Amino acid sequence: MSVPRWVILVLSLACGVGVSTIYFPQAISSLVAADLGVSTGSAALVVTAAQFGYAAGIFLLVPLGDRLPHRPLIVTLLVLTAAGLLAASAAPSLPLLVAASAVTGVTTVVPQIIIPMAAGLVPAERRGAVTGTLLSGLIGGILLARTFSGTLGERFGWRAPYVVAAVIVLALAAILSRVVPVTTPSTRHSYPSLIAAPLSLLRAEPDLRRSCLYQATVFAGFSAAWTTLTLLVTGPTYGMGAQTVGVLGLVGAASMFSTPLAGRLADRRGPDTVTLLAMLGTIASAAVLVPAYRGGTTGLLVLAAGMLLLDVAVQSGQVANQARIFALRPEARARINTAYMTCAFLGGSAGSWLGVRTYDRFGWRGVTGLVAALAVMGLGRHLRHVYQRRRRPDRSGFEKREATHRP
């Protein structure tokens, strides 16, 4: 099937809008804390709950992308997401807001249905580039969401971003009800077998396991940094508002232009090359971010540069990992993506939790150390794979194709 470029661009926009709903709370946690009379650390539970919900939604709902027609599935999930956002906007207390955030996270998994769907609609030689384009939209949603919520929340209160996001999501549902290509399900397996499949795939596919580990480690560091960035910027070191977090997110949004480049590099040189660069970039970003603990104008510049480098590294790694796993079993891309993204967002959720605890005990320098340590874990596993692969005389399948592209 030939998919017009404009359709890919619309799907990229949908990925951005869909994923933004679990990230914009990061910029307004201080506003939530002030309005609901809780600590900023407690308010950060809204972000953690959304990410845990997202991981659960990936595990429970994304496998349906192999079983159901994509268009009605995507539209239904967007409508449910809008309902969850409206419920969150009306939450009178933190526990209810956390619950609504978790529910919204479960249903906002549309990007993880769109990406494997699109991978199956284009030729193999374009898969990395198309995945990169879709991820650039997703990254834009992740980072611009903070600008959107920080600016809107500062002016109208923390509930306003939830209401506006619900309206945007409903408008997107109407557009996608006409734009999403008509597809035929790739399997007729029962729902229980679909849910069990990701675990079986993890056991059977070593490339899937290592891709999961790579993204879980760097995404944990990414989530730790962005969650605690709000605490740093709105705390006594800088004494600024939520809007500043949004501006930093706008700077980081420049990373969305790097993912198509990473996708083309993965197509030419193999995903392992991009993975190595992503790991090294994550470690370098942690080093750049360290001086931000001092505050001042220099600290803000360091934050902008370091977070931009971190965003580029993490999202380039995502492109490489998804290019690798989508080549494994074409008939089970949604289930493979389920295993991968569940692991990634479990890592992200753990990173948010660890980041807040690390910040409370060791400050910003502790958080940067956490980011670096997590990336070193992933890098160690990757270097071991490269060493073993070069010593192995017989290789087959996707691994053999990758062997022609030495990182």
Side-chain angles (χ1 to χ4, degrees), residues 6 19 26 67 73 109 126 129 134 139 152 154 166 173 195 214 221 237 241 249 285 295 309 358:
W6 70 267
V19 79
Q26 287 180 334
R67 180 67 178 81
L73 176 61
V109 293
R126 288 187 58 210
L134 294 175
I139 296 162
L152 201 62
E154 194 78 27
I195 294 299
Y214 296 162
T237 302
S285 73
L309 179 56
T358 302

Side-chain angles (χ1 to χ4, degrees), residues 305-331:
M307 296 307 287
L308 174 58
L309 179 56
L310 177 62
D311 295 340
V312 169
V314 172
Q315 304 306 337
S316 296
Q318 174 89 322
V319 173
N321 289 326
Q322 290 192 304
R324 183 184 298 113
I325 65 174
F326 289 154
L328 296 175
R329 299 197 187 186
E331 78 286 355

Side-chain angles (χ1 to χ4, degrees), residues 382-395:
H382 182 60
L383 293 177
R384 189 180 76 178
H385 163 75
V386 172
Y387 175 75
Q388 291 174 340
R389 189 187 65 188
R390 287 177 173 173
R391 292 194 62 189
R392 198 177 306 149
D394 54 335
R395 293 182 286 268

Side-chain angles (χ1 to χ4, degrees), residues 25 38 50 91 105 120 143 170 209 214 228 237 320 325 333 342 388 406:
V38 298
L143 300 174
L170 285 174
R209 290 197 300 273
Y214 296 162
T228 56
T237 302
I325 65 174
R333 287 195 177 100
T342 300
Q388 291 174 340
R406 303 289 188 181

